[in-house]
Each structure stands twice: as structure tokens, then as C-alpha cells.
């Protein structure tokens, strides 16, 4: 199949018809908004512009019976280049010091700051990765520093510029620029040519540079990053929120919206015929791999894929044909027996590495064209008798919510910081972490695979109102794009066991048709690309959610004894939910209280460390007494965290609901209460 297929840029999940290959979809020369300008209220904060649908053109296409995710007219590739360099590929790191300039008046475009000829010698410097919040905000991590000062409150547009020497050998390569994150949105130019725009602060993206690349020359990369202001005045007693119906989240929420190029970036040059993605599923002694191959060349490709299941699997490399028409994408499916592969579990987190090797010609010994490897684990995950089951055993989740940030680096955390923070999970005896409420750096999923910590992955769909749910479902499609990319990017990780669809969003009346349609759309998105059929859930704001019939695992946040009711109300509530949905496991996705570190007193006095610890103990006891149908408990939250919401400003915007303090990471009494809590059977 070689004819062009022109798709609407509206994201879709429905299959487009099975085919051995599909033509790479056409992508417009520019992905800018229709008017190309920003909007602003009179004398108010700048708002970003938006096209008719989310700007990356994320959609699913059925390729030979496998649903494949496309962005920017290409297969959404694997993002392992931040740590794994394939021998058939070239990599050019962009993790370095860039030129940087704030653009509060939105003058950069008009003054052609994207041009390679623009003189940026007077600009400031900033490291990539980094959050511009920490560029000049003394006392960011202190509870006593004044709130509302420093670059942590610089919003609107800012520009990044750097130059790179493009190797002459890249003339026959397919080249893309990859970013692991840019908060909140980013537009990218290469030598003044607009490559595309991305929206969503915590999901990776890769922009193809065909037409803009000039191998053998020095070229300029310019990135314009945008962050919406949270409030019109951060120091006002009653701050007025700034909202944008298209963005996710669309209004201020209670975690910090770190800005800038907050994770690694690099340029990757791959062969014209390349393995863009390797999807694997391993269970019951078999490894099933779907190698997604793109042919960017003008000639049909006739070759072989060899799949090696990896040392320790007990399996042998298997060779299958790979025939990909010019300018098309195809999927090569390979099934390998792995009789010696150990199972992955929290108690024994065995991982293996599979490698796909693409060779030219009709013999497997033909010249090597490309390789792509992936880490995987063998495990069986399912639901039976109202229980989550892993490897045929009941699974109870002792979990923590966790925000990805440190006082020193914000969301641009270092590997040492990840190791220190995530190490608390194992010290605490936790076997589960909820990525509230956004995708994490790939390091986190790798860490969880290696340390046997189970993961509920989340996207940025927090606190939406009905109007935004309807807009996302029927027109803009950003929520769907985030769900698709979450499932696609984290697919192979054995630690990821739950897809989270939303957090505490509004439920409309009269049967909740808007809310249900939105959740059904997100569920269909993740199910369309997940070969392993992981369960879906979400963090509802009520135990009486009218869409719980759509969930595989019932998840809700509860704050009995804190925001409402009594601690003892939890048990009867769990019993009532179980009676209504007797076959579904229940997961407490959030529960917690607060304490100011060092404040002590009776366990009945709010704000004391004793009160916080007693609250946890009371809820844990009620949950574990019902482990026959409650799948687990997820405490809010591992560590105190920063927020721009209009409360906790007396503490410099630090929420004090953690087991640990924010900057010093000092344990409170609840830390030991959680550590000594006993899991009722299972793993």
C-alpha cells in the first residue's frame, strides 16, 4: 500500500483498516495556530495560541492489525536515546548551556528571534535540562521565604537558542530532535524553519527535521517555551486564577507547573529504514514482539527482522521477513518461546533485554541496517474475584503518591536525586507508587522495573470541568493524545500495572453523559495500543462515581476525618462500593492529612505530627481489614511539595501533607507509621 493517506489532524482511536503497511501521513509545513498570534486580556497575562486540534496531530492507525501511534506525520519513536545508544544510530546531546531570554511582551516572533541571523550574544545562559523557576529564586525550598518573588513566577514566553555542528554523514539519514519534556508548550525552529509545536508539560516528543537539515554545516536551534500564569497576582489575598480551556490542566492546580526544557534533549540520526518502536508482551513462556518499521526512503525495502529475546530468557533468536514499501510504515510481528525466562515480581524484579535487528536482503546474514532494544519482564497481570492478581497471586498495593521535584532542581531532577527520593519507597516497604498526576522521566520507570515497585501512571487531566471534558473529547483531543502517548511510551515496563485516566474532575448531572463519554474515550485510547490489557482506573472525587462501571479497578480519593465526615466512615463506604460493584477491586488512590514538621501534641489536634500519623493508621486498618476486595491504599503524599494554588502561601507555597519535609526531606512521625504498616498477604 503506497498511496498517500491524508488524515484529519483531529486525533482518532478508531481503526483505519488493516494493511501490511500504511503510507506515512502527510504533515503540514507548519503546525502553528491558525492565526499565529497569542491572545491576551487587556492589561492581563498572555495566553498561548491554539490550533483547531492539539498541535502534534497524535492519532492511531491500524498497521497490519497493530495499532500504531503517529505524531507529526511519523511513528512516535522510542525515547531510549537518553540512556541507550544503538550502534546503528548517531546521537548529538543537547544537554548543555543554551542562550536564554524571557519574552514577557511576546516580541520574539516579530523580531525573528528564531532566525539563525539573530544576535543572541547579550542573552542570558541556562542549563538544559533545568526549570527556569530555579534560575533566580532564592529560598524556593524554604517555608519562610517570601512567596511570589523570583523567576519561579516568570510566566508567558521564553526563548532558548543553541547551535550544533551537523555531521556531513547525516545526508542519508532520517533525523529528529527529541525532547523528554518542555513545560508547558514548545515551538521549535531549525535555522528559522518551523518544525512544529508540542503541548503538554510532561510528555516526550520528537520532531522530524526533513527539509530543514543541512548536513556539514553549523545550524541554529530555537525553542519558544510558554507557561500560562496561574494567577493575575500571586501575592493578592484573593488571587484571580488564569485559565485556558484548551490546556491541561486548564486552571491552577495544587502542584507546581515547572517551566522550561526540564528534561534531556538530543538529536538522533537513524537509517532511512529504521525500527521506530518495539512493543513487547511477555507472559506464559512467550515473548510477543511487534517491531514498527518506518521506510523513509524512495525505494521499497525487502529484508529481515531478527528478534533476540535476551540472555537468561531460554529463547533463541527468531528471523522473519520485513517488507516495507517506500515512504511507509509496517509492523513485523515475532513470537518467541522463552521457556527459561524468570517471572518479574516486586519480590524478584527480573528483567530481560530484547533486541530487534533489521537486515537487508533475503538472508538473515545480510548487512545490518538498524537495531533497537528494549527492557521487559515476564509477568501475568489480571483481575479475578474482586482482586488484582500478579503471577496468579493476590496483590495488595501499599502505595504512595509522589511529586517529581526537589528544592534544588525542581522537576529537572538528577539521577542521584531520583535514587534518593525513590529509595524511600523501598525503605518504607512500599510496593506501589502513583505518578500523580503526570508522566515521569523515563528514569523513574526504569528504576521501578529494577526495584520491583509497581506503578500507576497518570496524565495531566486534573480538575477538569464539564466544559473542558466536552472540548477535549469532541474537538481538541489533547487529553486523548496524552492517554495514547502514555500507553505507547510506557508499554514495555513490567512495573506499570495501571493506567490512570483523570483526577477529581467534574461530573455532570443526569447520568453524566459528558463525563462518561470523556472517560470512555480515554479508556479506548489506552486500550487501543496496550497489547497487555492493563487495567484502567482513575482518582475520582467521589465513592459514588456514575462511571465506575467503565473502570477495571475502582479508584477514588477519600479524606474522611479531614475534609468531611469521620475516619471511621471509610469502612462502611468501602462496603457500600463493593456491594454495588462486587467483581471490581477497589483502590484508595489518595488519603492523607497534614502536619507542620516539629509540631507535636495530641493525636486529636489538627496539624500535629501525631494527628497526621493517627489519621493514616485509622484508614490503613479499615482498608486492610477488607483486603478481600480492596486492592490497596495510596497515601498522599511521600514528600511535602510546592504549589501555586491560593493557599499555603504562609509556607512559601509548600503543602505540608508529606511523610517528609520538602527541602530537608526530614521524616515526620507518619513516616514510621507507614513504614511499620503490615501488608495483608500477597506480594
Amino acid at each position: 500500500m503506497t498511496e498517500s493517506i491524508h488524515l484529519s489532524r483531529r486525533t482518532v482511536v478508531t481503526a483505519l483498516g488493516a494493511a501490511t503497511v500504511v503510507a506515512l501521513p502527510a504533515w503540514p509545513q507548519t503546525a502553528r495556530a491558525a492565526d499565529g498570534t497569542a491572545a491576551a486580556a487587556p492589561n492581563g497575562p498572555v495566553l498561548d495560541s491554539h490550533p483547531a486540534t492539539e498541535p502534534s496531530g497524535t492519532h492511531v492507525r491500524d498497521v497490519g492489525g497493530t495499532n500504531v501511534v503517529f505524531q507529526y506525520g511519523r511513528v512516535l519513536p522510542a525515547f531510549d536515546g537518553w540512556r541507550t545508544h544503538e550502534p546503528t544510530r548517531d546521537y548529538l546531546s543537547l544537554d548543555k548551556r543554551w542562550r536564554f531570554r524571557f519574552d514577557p511582551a511576546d516580541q520574539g516572533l516579530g523580531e525573528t528571534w528564531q532566525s539563525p541571523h539573530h544576535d543572541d550574544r547579550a542573552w542570558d545562559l541556562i542549563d538544559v535540562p533545568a526549570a527556569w523557576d530555579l534560575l533566580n529564586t532564592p529560598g524556593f525550598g524554604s517555608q519562610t521565604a517570601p512567596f511570589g518573588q523570583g523567576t519561579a513566577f516568570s510566566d508567558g514566553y521564553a526563548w532558548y537558542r543553541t547551535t550544533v555542528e551537523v555531521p556531513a554523514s547525516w545526508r542519508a539519514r532520517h533525523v529528529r530532535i527529541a525532547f523528554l519534556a518542555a513545560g508547558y508548550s514548545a515551538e521549535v525552529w531549525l535555522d528559522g524553519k518551523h518544525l512544529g509545536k508540542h503541548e503538554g508539560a510532561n510528555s516526550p516528543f520528537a520532531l522530524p527535521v526533513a527539509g530543514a537539515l543541512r548536513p556539514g554545516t553549523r545550524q541554529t536551534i530555537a525553542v519558544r517555551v510558554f507557561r500560562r500564569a496561574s494567577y493575575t497576582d500571586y501575592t493578592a489575598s484573593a488571587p484571580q486564577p488564569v485559565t485556558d480551556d484548551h490546556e491541561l490542566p486548564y486552571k491552577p492546580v495544587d502542584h507546581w507547573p515547572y517551566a522550561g526544557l526540564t528534561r534531556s534533549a538530543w538529536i538522533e540520526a537513524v537509517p532511512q529504514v529504521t525500527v521506530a518502536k518495539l512493543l513487547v508482551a511477555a507472559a506464559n513462556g512467550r515473548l510477543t514482539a511487534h517491531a514498527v518499521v518506518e521506510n523513509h526512503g524512495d525505494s521499497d525495502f525487502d529484508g529481515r527482522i531478527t528478534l533476540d529475546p535476551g540472555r537468561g530468557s531460554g529463547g533463541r533468536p527468531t528471523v522473519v521477513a520485513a517488507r516495507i514499501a517506500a515512504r511507509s510504515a509496517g509492523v513485523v510481528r515475532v513470537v518467541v518461546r522463552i521457556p527459561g525466562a524468570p517471572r518479574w515480581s516486586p519480590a524478584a524484579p527480573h528483567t530481560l533485554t530484547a533486541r530487534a535487528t533489521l537486515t537487508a536482503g533475503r538472508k538473515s546474514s545480510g548487512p545490518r541496517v538498524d537495531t533497537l532494544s528494549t527492557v521487559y519482564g515476564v509477568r501475568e497481570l489480571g483481575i479475578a474475584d474482586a482482586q488484582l492478581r500478579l503471577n496468579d497471586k493476590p496483590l495488595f498495593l501499599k502505595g504512595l503518591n509522589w511529586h517529581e521535584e526537589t528544592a534544588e532542581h525542581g522537576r529537572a531532577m538528577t539521577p542521584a536525586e531520583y535514587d534518593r527520593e525513590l529509595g524511600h519507597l523501598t525503605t518504607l516497604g512500599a510496593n506501589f507508587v502513583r505518578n500523580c498526576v503526570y508522566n515521569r522521566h523515563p528514569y523513574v520507570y526504569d528504576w521501578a522495573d529494577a526495584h520491583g515497585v509497581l506503578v500507576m501512571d497518570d496524565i495531566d487531566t486534573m480538575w477538569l470541568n464539564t466544559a473542558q471534558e466536552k472540548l477535549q473529547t469532541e474537538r481538541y483531543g489533547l487529553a486523548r493524545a496524552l492517554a495514547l502517548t502514555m500507553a505507547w511510551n510506557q508499554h514495555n515496563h513490567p512495573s506499570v500495572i495501571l493506567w490512570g485516566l483523570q483526577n477529581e474532575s467534574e461530573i455532570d448531572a443526569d447520568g453524566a453523559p459528558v463525563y462518561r463519554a470523556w472517560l470512555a474515550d480515554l479508556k479506548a485510547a489506552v486500550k487501543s495500543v496496550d497489547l497487555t490489557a492493563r487495567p484502567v482506573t482513575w482518582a475520582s472525587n467521589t465513592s459514588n462515581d456514575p462511571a465506575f462501571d467503565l473502570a477495571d479497578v475502582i479508584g477514588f480519593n477519600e479524606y474522611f476525618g479531614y475534609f468531611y465526615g469521620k475516619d471511621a466512615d471509610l469502612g462502611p463506604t468501602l462496603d457500600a462500593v463493593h456491594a454495588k460493584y462486587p467483581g471490581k477491586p477497589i483502590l484508595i488512590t489518595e488519603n492523607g492529612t497534614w502536619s507542620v514538621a516539629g509540631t507535636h501534641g495530641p493525636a486529636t489536634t489538627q496539624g500535629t505530627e501525631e494527628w497526621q500519623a493517627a489519621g493514616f493508621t485509622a484508614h490503613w486498618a479499615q482498608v486492610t481489614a477488607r483486603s478481600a476486595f480492596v486492592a490497596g491504599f495510596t497515601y498522599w503524599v511521600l514528600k511535602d511539595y510546592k504549589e501555586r494554588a491560593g493557599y499555603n502561601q504562609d509556607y512559601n507555597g509548600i503543602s505540608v501533607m508529606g511523610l517528609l519535609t520538602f527541602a530537608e526531606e526530614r521524616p515526620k512521625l507518619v513516616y514510621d507509621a507507614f513504614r511499620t504498616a503490615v501488608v495483608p498477604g500477597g506480594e
Side-chain angles (χ1 to χ4, degrees):
M1 180 176 180
T2 57
E3 69 272 18
S4 296
I5 297 178
H6 297 280
L7 297 177
S8 165
R9 287 176 58 203
R10 176 176 178 177
T11 56
V12 292
V13 173
T14 53
L16 300 177
T20 303
V21 296
V22 296
L24 294 174
W27 184 248
Q29 289 297 308
T30 178
R32 288 275 305 281
D35 60 4
T37 61
N43 302 315
V46 170
L47 297 180
D48 199 11
S49 58
H50 299 281
T53 58
E54 63 87 16
S56 66
T58 307
H59 66 275
V60 169
R61 311 180 94 197
D62 183 317
V63 183
T66 299
N67 285 328
V68 175
V69 177
F70 288 79
Q71 275 190 352
Y72 307 107
R74 300 294 182 265
V75 174
L76 181 62
F79 289 94
D80 295 332
W82 71 277
R83 59 159 168 76
T84 302
H85 287 184
E86 298 290 342
T88 54
R89 305 180 179 192
D90 298 314
Y91 302 84
L92 186 58
S93 176
L94 299 176
D95 288 359
K96 58 180 181 176
R97 188 154 288 186
W98 292 47
R99 298 284 184 180
F100 177 80
R101 184 176 178 182
F102 286 113
D103 186 14
D106 188 23
Q107 66 194 60
L109 273 180
E111 296 179 1
T112 63
W113 293 4
Q114 71 275 26
S115 169
H117 307 296
H118 181 76
D119 186 354
D120 59 15
R121 288 175 294 178
W123 287 26
D124 295 324
L125 298 172
I126 192 171
D127 288 331
V128 173
W132 80 51
D133 305 81
L134 280 299
L135 193 62
N136 186 18
T137 308
F140 181 77
S142 167
Q143 290 189 16
T144 58
F147 186 79
Q149 298 180 13
T151 56
F153 300 90
S154 296
D155 300 311
Y157 293 105
W159 287 75
Y160 293 72
R161 286 171 57 94
T162 193
T163 60
V164 293
E165 294 285 352
V166 181
S169 59
W170 286 11
R171 287 189 176 90
R173 311 284 269 176
H174 173 68
V175 181
R176 54 195 176 226
I177 304 179
F179 297 86
L180 287 183
Y184 163 77
S185 66
E187 291 186 82
V188 183
W189 290 262
L190 181 62
D191 270 1
K193 180 176 176 59
H194 190 269
L195 301 182
K197 180 176 180 177
H198 182 264
E199 189 173 345
N202 303 289
S203 57
F205 60 102
L207 293 163
V209 300
L213 194 72
R214 293 185 293 110
T217 67
R218 175 179 287 272
Q219 295 194 260
T220 299
I221 301 170
V223 183
R224 184 174 77 151
V225 178
F226 175 82
R227 174 172 65 185
R228 186 186 78 248
S230 298
Y231 294 95
T232 55
D233 184 346
Y234 291 104
T235 60
S237 57
Q240 296 300 307
V242 178
T243 65
D244 184 331
D245 284 350
H246 293 77
E247 292 192 6
L248 292 173
Y250 85 98
K251 66 178 181 180
V253 294
D254 71 343
H255 60 267
W256 198 272
Y258 290 97
L261 301 180
T262 55
R263 297 179 187 153
S264 289
W266 67 95
I267 305 176
E268 186 170 355
V270 303
Q272 288 284 352
V273 184
T274 180
V275 184
K277 182 74 174 180
L278 188 60
L279 297 175
V280 299
N284 302 313
R286 293 199 318 172
L287 172 65
T288 301
H290 295 237
V292 185
V293 181
E294 279 187 311
N295 183 354
H296 298 280
D298 295 323
S299 302
D300 295 349
F301 178 83
D302 191 352
R304 297 288 184 270
I305 282 276
T306 301
L307 182 73
D308 185 343
R311 181 180 300 175
S313 68
R316 296 181 177 180
T318 300
V319 183
V320 295
R323 299 183 179 92
I324 312 297
R327 303 292 176 183
S328 296
V331 174
V332 181
R333 183 174 179 269
V334 190
V335 180
V336 182
R337 291 186 65 252
I338 46 174
R343 280 177 165 180
W344 184 98
S345 71
H350 299 291
T351 59
L352 303 161
T353 300
R355 177 179 293 273
T357 300
L358 183 68
T359 55
R362 295 181 176 273
K363 296 181 179 180
S364 59
S365 59
R368 184 177 65 177
V369 176
D370 195 22
T371 64
L372 184 62
S373 60
T374 188
V375 174
Y376 70 99
V378 181
R379 57 138 174 86
E380 291 85 44
L381 177 69
I383 294 172
D385 301 323
Q387 291 183 323
L388 270 175
R389 300 184 69 86
L390 182 67
N391 300 332
D392 301 322
K393 296 179 181 178
L395 182 64
F396 188 88
L397 304 174
K398 180 183 180 182
L400 289 159
N401 289 272
W402 167 65
H403 275 304
E404 185 183 43
E405 62 181 343
T406 63
E408 185 176 1
H409 294 109
R411 194 151 297 150
M413 291 173 61
T414 66
E417 288 175 325
Y418 281 119
D419 289 342
R420 185 183 71 241
E421 296 230 338
L422 295 170
H424 286 290
L425 299 176
T426 53
T427 300
L428 288 160
N431 63 0
F432 178 62
V433 64
R434 177 184 167 216
N435 287 341
C436 57
V437 285
Y438 43 86
N439 292 171
R440 297 307 197 254
H441 190 290
Y443 189 95
V444 175
Y445 306 99
D446 290 345
W447 186 95
D449 290 344
H451 290 81
V453 173
L454 302 160
V455 175
M456 172 178 166
D457 214 16
D458 269 15
I459 52 177
D460 307 66
T461 45
M462 179 176 181
W463 293 0
L464 270 70
N465 287 349
T466 303
Q468 288 78 43
E469 295 165 6
K470 186 178 178 67
L471 173 68
Q472 292 296 334
T473 305
E474 296 182 358
R475 184 167 67 83
Y476 200 59
L478 179 58
R480 185 185 309 117
L482 294 178
L484 281 170
T485 56
M486 171 180 67
W488 184 256
N489 292 330
Q490 276 71 265
H491 183 280
N492 296 347
H493 291 283
S495 59
V496 178
I497 62 165
L498 290 168
W499 302 126
L501 302 184
Q502 67 92 8
N503 183 86
E504 295 182 351
S505 293
E506 186 178 61
I507 302 171
D508 49 318
D510 301 322
V514 173
Y515 178 70
R516 288 179 59 85
W518 177 54
L519 287 173
D521 189 50
L522 299 181
K523 179 179 178 178
V526 296
K527 294 287 189 180
S528 71
V529 297
D530 186 0
L531 303 177
T532 70
R534 291 174 179 88
V536 301
T537 188
W538 56 86
S540 182
N541 58 14
T542 175
S543 61
N544 194 32
D545 191 309
F548 274 157
D549 59 298
L550 300 176
D552 300 314
V553 173
I554 291 175
F556 61 89
N557 300 343
E558 58 89 5
Y559 288 94
F560 290 112
Y562 177 22
F563 291 131
Y564 46 77
K566 305 182 300 296
D567 287 329
D569 292 337
L570 175 58
T573 299
L574 291 169
D575 294 337
V577 175
H578 176 58
K580 189 171 183 179
Y581 303 98
K584 294 180 183 285
I586 302 170
L587 174 65
I588 301 301
T589 42
E590 283 183 29
N591 167 259
T593 52
W594 61 279
S595 72
V596 177
T599 302
H600 295 282
T604 55
T605 300
Q606 284 199 9
T608 65
E609 291 192 30
E610 288 80 3
W611 176 69
Q612 185 184 28
F616 161 73
T617 300
H619 288 245
W620 178 262
Q622 294 172 81
V623 166
T624 54
R626 294 163 174 81
S627 61
F629 58 85
V630 178
F633 176 95
T634 321
Y635 189 76
W636 185 269
V637 58
L638 172 62
K639 192 181 77 168
D640 293 350
Y641 58 98
K642 288 282 289 192
E643 57 187 7
R644 281 174 149 195
Y647 38 88
N648 291 322
Q649 292 189 8
D650 290 343
Y651 301 125
N652 190 23
I654 295 176
S655 170
V656 292
M657 297 185 72
L659 304 178
L660 301 161
T661 59
F662 178 60
E664 303 84 1
E665 299 184 9
R666 184 181 71 77
K668 307 177 191 178
L669 287 178
V670 69
Y671 188 97
D672 280 338
F674 188 96
R675 181 179 57 81
T676 56
V678 178
V679 173
E683 295 202 50

